[in-house]
Amino acid sequence: MSQQSTSKRQLHLGLFLFSTGYHPAGWRLPEAVTDGAFDNSFLKRVVQKLEQAKFDFFFLGDALASSSDMQHQFPSQMVRLEPFTMLAYLAAASEQIGLIVTINSTYTEPYHVARMTASLDHISQGRLALNVVTGADARAAHNFSREKHWDNAKRYDYAEEFVGIVKRLWDTWEDDAFVRDKSSGVFVDGEKVHRLDHKGNQFSIAGPLNVARPPQGQIPLLTAGTSERSRELGAAHSSAIFTGDILFEDAKVFYADMKSRLDRHGRSREELFILPGLSPLVGRTTEEARAKYEELNSLLVTNYDVSALSQRVGIDLSGYPLDGPLPDLALSTIPGERVQQLVRLTQNAVGVETITIRDLFHYFTATSRGHLLLVGDPVQIADEIERWFVNEASDGFNICPPYMTEALDLFVELVVPILQERGLFRTAYEGATFREHFGLSKPDNIFARQAAAAAQQ
């Protein structure tokens, strides 16, 4: 790969925190952290390390249900701190890095969310972004006095109205509403404080919000998901979309589709960033990285049930020996090259051409939640990041280290400098807010804009 990118775009990098690592067995490595989710000193060290490396953001996901049977597939997601509580602490422990909080719109109220996010944007001095999810875990319904989880259509009907309300609540106080004139006794200009008086299909909300307009004006919104409703919600409102594509060609198709939707929403391509998840297993040499990958796989707790893998490759693998060669891929019911691409990713991770079903199972297990696993030395990892970025398969990556914290340390210390040398990634922050990290300007207040337009008529 070239040592200097010719693209004028800037790569964006954030951390998606999996406190025990993204790999299901990451926590079992001798050097791995196992209790980071509840260790404030660990969380502080991580966010400060990211800030020193000039990462765009620290991202914390969320879930509203749990069970102990997740421990062998997704231990990081079983128990963790509530996102607003954690990020309030990390806002005080950092100065420049963006902070992304997650809310589930299906199980909360717009006024609560507008109030909490505006408050946290003030506390962080404009470094907040809001990740909106509608919920994929049906068990959550039983934790919120509901008999069942809503279907996709109802969740997105609710979410679309929800997001519109939150955005307008943020604007109910204009930036210059606060006069604070001691001589006259006028604290606020009532003409610049606005009721919402929203009456919709899902909500009835009067307003105004009881928090001043956020420093960023509009806090950046982020979404994820590939359904048609999710794509349209993202095209209309999101500043960034988190994706789970591990195949390069699929990622390019998604990228092009999302960028093509923006014009009809009155937005430009530069207002939306596509950020797939990446789990980089970096070694100082390729051999070192592959040895660590083999060690991780040896620590998996699994019965090698190949049913999910069989669906993924379109071949019933249950009758084949785990340590035997792959069956003829021509037998697959999956169209196109998607199975062959998965095989190639596994070959690259293992470092051999002739892989076994066990090898494919290990790679599938490490990526089945949707984020790309790359195994290699620093240049190999940087090359692949550059390939995705330059060829518009992504605008950057949501980094998910396979174990903590050494995997993150190696990426920051060995890969990030290569990306900086190539001119792909910043060496200093250009601004102070989350919006400024992504080159986004502060939007006008919607009520002020309406008033100005009315005055011109």
Side-chain angles (χ1 to χ4, degrees), residues 356-370:
T356 65
I357 291 175
R358 190 187 299 272
D359 292 330
L360 193 62
F361 179 91
H362 286 159
Y363 190 83
F364 173 74
T365 299
T367 60
S368 60
R369 294 188 302 277

Side-chain angles (χ1 to χ4, degrees), residues 179-187:
V179 179
R180 300 186 178 96
D181 187 338
K182 293 183 178 181
S183 61
S184 67
V186 176
F187 194 79

Side-chain angles (χ1 to χ4, degrees), residues 320-391:
Y320 294 88
L322 272 175
D323 293 312
L326 299 181
D328 184 355
L329 297 183
L331 299 172
S332 174
T333 59
I334 306 296
E337 296 289 315
R338 301 187 77 248
V339 177
Q340 290 85 342
Q341 292 171 26
L342 178 63
V343 169
R344 284 195 289 272
L345 287 170
T346 305
Q347 291 169 332
N348 290 338
V350 177
V352 297
E353 184 74 19
T354 305
I355 61 171
T356 65
I357 291 175
R358 190 187 299 272
D359 292 330
L360 193 62
F361 179 91
H362 286 159
Y363 190 83
F364 173 74
T365 299
T367 60
S368 60
R369 294 188 302 277
H371 299 317
L372 175 65
L373 171 67
L374 294 179
V375 181
D377 65 33
V379 172
Q380 290 169 326
I381 302 296
D383 283 350
E384 194 64 7
I385 289 173
E386 182 173 4
R387 184 170 79 99
W388 280 58
F389 177 69
V390 170
N391 290 285

